[in-house]
Amino acid sequence: MANNKMKKATPVQQEYQKLANQLEPKRPLFQNCWRAFLAGGTICVVGQAIQEMFVHWGGFDEKKAANPTVAVLILISVILTSLGLYDKFAQWAGAGSAVPVTGFANSMASAAIEHRSEGFVLGVGGKMFKLAGPVIVFGTVAAFFVGIITFVLKGTGGGH
């Protein structure tokens, strides 16, 4: 698609685009990947540590410890977002901070904080769920289909 735009561009526009591409700073791809790996991995290690605490000190089994672990990670993310720290971390970490559940919580909390002056319903609720809505709908629809497939496979003897 970018090539189609270049074909329609005038010679001056094409020359400008070539110059702009030459002067554009190169992205440090390896550094960005390494930071994303470190950040995402660290978040996962923290999550695993929290889950182990629920198992060892809370009396949960590993499966039942999963939900409160996710809730604690979301809470930590929202607190760090409200203090302005998660955004600084995300600037450094890149995609590593956006992929886990903490990134989703950060996105929702950021939208809520940014639009709180517009009121709770139209500002916080409306803007916060602009991002969350599609994710929640996709998750619900995907869970529905996975449930149907699981039911069919178990009903026909193909499941566990």
Side-chain angles (χ1 to χ4, degrees):
M1 182 143 174
N3 287 339
N4 288 341
K5 287 184 179 180
M6 282 299 289
K7 289 178 185 175
K8 294 179 182 178
T10 66
V12 173
Q13 290 171 326
Q14 290 176 0
E15 187 178 328
Y16 174 80
Q17 190 60 45
K18 285 180 187 176
L19 179 63
N21 288 339
Q22 289 173 354
L23 296 176
E24 182 180 336
K26 301 297 178 215
R27 294 184 188 132
L29 184 62
F30 179 78
Q31 180 183 13
N32 290 347
C33 289
W34 178 247
R35 285 180 176 183
F37 172 77
L38 263 173
T42 301
I43 292 169
C44 291
V45 167
V46 168
Q48 187 65 45
I50 293 168
Q51 183 176 6
E52 292 298 321
M53 285 187 239
F54 279 117
V55 169
H56 292 288
W57 295 324
F60 291 85
D61 63 24
E62 283 190 23
K63 192 170 185 176
K64 288 183 180 174
N67 288 338
T69 299
V70 171
V72 169
L73 285 171
I74 290 170
L75 179 65
I76 291 169
S77 176
V78 169
I79 290 169
L80 292 176
T81 298
S82 66
L83 296 173
L85 299 175
Y86 198 92
D87 290 338
K88 291 177 183 173
F89 169 67
Q91 284 277 208
W92 180 85
S97 67
V99 177
V101 69
T102 55
F104 182 65
N106 168 261
S107 298
M108 287 188 62
S110 294
I113 291 167
E114 183 178 341
H115 297 285
R116 69 182 178 267
S117 64
E118 297 172 32
F120 283 116
V121 175
L122 297 177
V124 174
K127 304 299 186 206
M128 182 172 64
F129 289 109
K130 231 179 198 180
L131 168 75
V135 174
I136 292 168
V137 169
F138 178 79
T140 303
V141 170
F144 174 76
F145 284 114
V146 168
I148 288 176
I149 292 167
T150 303
F151 177 76
V152 168
L153 289 177
K154 283 188 176 184
T156 61
H160 294 25

